[in-house]
Each structure stands twice: as C-alpha cells, then as structure tokens.
Amino acid sequence: MIRKVYILIVSIFGSLVATAQTLDNLKVVDDSIRLSYTIPVGDISADENVILRPVLRSDSDSVCLAEHLVRGRRDVKRAHREYVLSGAKKRGEVEPTYIIYKDKRQGVSDSAALLLNEYKWAALKPVSICVERVKMGCCRVDTLTAICSLPEKSGYVEPPIIVAIPDKQDTVPVDIAKVDSAVIHTDPVIPTIPDISPIASTAEDYKPYDPKHVVSTDTSALYVYFKTDKINIERGYMGNAQRLDSIEHLVAHLTADSTREVQTIRIIGLASIEGNDSHNQWLGLERANAMKRYIQQHSALPDSCFEIINGGEAWNEVVYFVENHKFNGAEEVLRIINNVEEHDKREVLLRKLNGGATFKYLHDAIFRELRYSAYLKVYFRSKK
C-alpha cells in the first residue's frame, strides 16, 4: 500500500532530447526511491558495440545503475558465432544478454529502485543522471566523454524527527565519559607516540609521494574502506569503526601534547579498476576528501595539516596481487597492464580473458579491498 508519493520531474536539454540522457522521474514510495531514466546510445557502426554505464550522482555521493551492452548488426552475429564456437552453447551456458542497436537508436530507457535508508542523499539533494560510454570495435576501444543531465532539487522532504520525552522516573543518569571514548577523551596522561599508533611517524621520516608505491604493502598505514561507488564513510563497514577510533585517538593525543604537534596527515584516495577511469578518478579524490572532513569534524586541525592525494584506480595494487598469486591468466593480465596505457581499454581486455573467468576471480579476490581511502599516515614534529 502506497502511503505517500513525492514526484520530481527533471528538465532535459531542450532540443537535445534524442541525444542527451534524462532523469525522467524520481519518486519516494514508502521505503524506496524509484526512478526512471533514458540514456543515449550515440552512433555506432554495424561492427561496433557500446557499453552504457549510467550513474546517479549528487554533490556528495553517487551510485552506479545497471549497465547496458548495445551491439551493432554484424557485431550481434559475431558475438553469437563466438558463443557457439567456444562450446558455451553446447555446455548449456546462457548466452550473454545485449540490446540490438537498431531497436534503441533513440536511447535506452530503464528504471531502478533504491533503498531510502541507504541512498537518502538521492532524495534529499539535487541529483543528475550521468552516462559513461565505452565504444568497442574489432581493433580499438574508445572511452567517450561522460555527460550528465541538469541537476534538479528533489521534491522529497525529510519527515520531522519526533523525540519522545520520557517521564522523570524513567530517566537513567548517563556517564558521559562512557558514551563514546573515541570522541570524548578524559585520559590526562599523554603516552609516547609509539604507544599511540603505528601510523605515526616523525617529520624526519616524511618522503614525497611516489605514484608507483603499492600502498597495501605498508603495514604501518591505516585504511578506511568504502562500499562500491560510494564516497561516504560508514563506521560499520569492514571494520572501519576501529580504524576511525584509532585516528581520532592519535590526533587527540597529538593535539593535547605540549611537546609535539601534527605536521602532515597524508591521505591517498583510491578506487577499484572497475568502471570508467574518469569516474574513478572522481571517486578517489572524493574518498580522500571525505576522510579529511571526518578528521576535521573530530579535531581542530586546519587544511594546512593535510596532504590530499588522488590515487585514482589502484592498478599498482592489482599488479602486486597478480605477481604474488598463481591463477589462470595471471601472465596475460600482467602483459595487458604493462602494454596497454589507457585504463579503460585495459579493463575491457581483462574482462574478455578466459571468457570473463579471470576478471571474476580478480573481482572476488581483491576488488573490494581496493575501495578505500587508502594509505593514511600521520607525521608529527616537536613544537618550537
């Protein structure tokens, strides 16, 4: 039963209706956000195909929606022939789904439903629908410029929070110091830095950032993990709470120390190699900035104390993993990474290895570990 519906109609690009994506409708129904949208295919030849990757985005977060593969007329025949000759049909495997270009030249329409509790930002803030397109032919891969619809304000209004005031006899005194030891520090003793955290180093240990550095090999760094395509920090995800408490504890003690002070907090934002490189560059930077904002919310540190680095897609981590694990296709993975400079083209070729089995192995083994505000290191110095 639908109790209440809020509807948002988003404007489109006027005469560009046939070529621009549109967020046609967004509404909140009970505990879900339901949206419909249209994304362009663009021109492709009979021998080409294009992967469409729609992303719902606001200023603070984003979420990837379902991908679509659109094939040209001759590419459909080639893909079916490959499906048969590879033995996949004989083995009873399901033929991969795709859309035929001639049926969707004016764009692909789709819809999605998101849980309101998890994606509340999509209903509360201006949002837009973006589409990333990767066009492939027999001999080349082209990553087309991502385009976005005009953002509009949502019609959803956050319901007021009603706080029940208990009777006096039901009120239980609260020991403030025990509410959240990560936020309220009452210990007057300042321990030595090595006793605080292994992620703290002296200013003399500081070295300039090396883009080739494999951050996961540094056991003295701290990592905060993010969900797929997310830039907001969740304390309950993959043990983040303990890590966040550690950095708060360290910064609090350094701030209270009369002999030492924070010189630099280096934060490197990283993203998995899945998806469009330009989008992942945005993810990496925003994840690093999210970690910076979190620390500043729990301290009085100025911007000058932070070194924010956008690590983008974590290809160094992938190479390190492949070099240290034996699996089917490992040598070919390294060959592709070493010889193909364009990140999106690398991903396309990796997805094709062994019928997709190698990419699935990498996905299950390490991709979730690559979605972090990676390497976080604190450097301190003596006060003058």
Side-chain angles (χ1 to χ4, degrees), residues 51 53 55 57 64 67 131-134 142-146 229 271-283 313 342-344 347 351:
I51 297 175
R53 293 171 175 153
V55 179
R57 178 182 293 179
C64 289
E67 287 188 1
V131 61
E132 299 162 351
R133 296 176 294 164
V134 179
D142 294 320
T143 301
L144 308 179
T145 302
D229 208 50
S272 168
I273 68 168
E274 304 157 274
N276 183 269
D277 181 49
S278 62
H279 178 64
N280 287 334
Q281 291 291 332
W282 176 81
L283 278 176
E313 295 186 335
E342 186 181 336
H343 289 181
D344 289 326
E347 183 192 350
R351 285 181 179 272

Side-chain angles (χ1 to χ4, degrees), residues 121-181:
W121 56 266
L124 294 176
K125 297 183 178 181
V127 294
S128 60
I129 191 80
C130 301
V131 61
E132 299 162 351
R133 296 176 294 164
V134 179
K135 183 191 290 187
M136 293 173 283
C138 65
C139 307
R140 59 181 297 172
V141 177
D142 294 320
T143 301
L144 308 179
T145 302
I147 50 177
C148 300
S149 62
L150 295 175
E152 293 287 339
K153 291 185 178 180
S154 171
Y156 175 69
V157 178
E158 180 76 358
I161 299 175
I162 302 175
V163 180
I165 302 177
D167 296 332
K168 291 184 177 181
Q169 60 268 24
D170 294 331
T171 303
V172 179
V174 178
D175 184 349
I176 298 297
K178 294 180 179 180
V179 173
D180 190 345
S181 60

Side-chain angles (χ1 to χ4, degrees), residues 45-73:
S45 69
D47 295 307
E48 293 178 321
N49 63 71
V50 62
I51 297 175
L52 306 176
R53 293 171 175 153
V55 179
L56 187 68
R57 178 182 293 179
S58 74
D59 291 338
S60 62
D61 215 335
S62 67
V63 59
C64 289
L65 304 175
E67 287 188 1
H68 297 282
L69 173 61
V70 182
R71 294 188 182 277
R73 175 174 51 82

Side-chain angles (χ1 to χ4, degrees), residues 81-115:
R81 184 169 60 250
E82 183 177 296
Y83 166 70
V84 174
L85 295 179
S86 67
K89 182 178 181 179
K90 188 175 182 180
R91 293 191 297 270
E93 298 178 11
V94 179
E95 185 172 6
T97 59
Y98 53 81
I99 298 170
I100 301 176
Y101 174 59
K102 69 175 183 179
D103 299 332
K104 298 293 181 180
R105 294 188 181 187
Q106 299 304 312
V108 175
S109 297
D110 202 356
S111 60
L114 307 173
L115 290 176

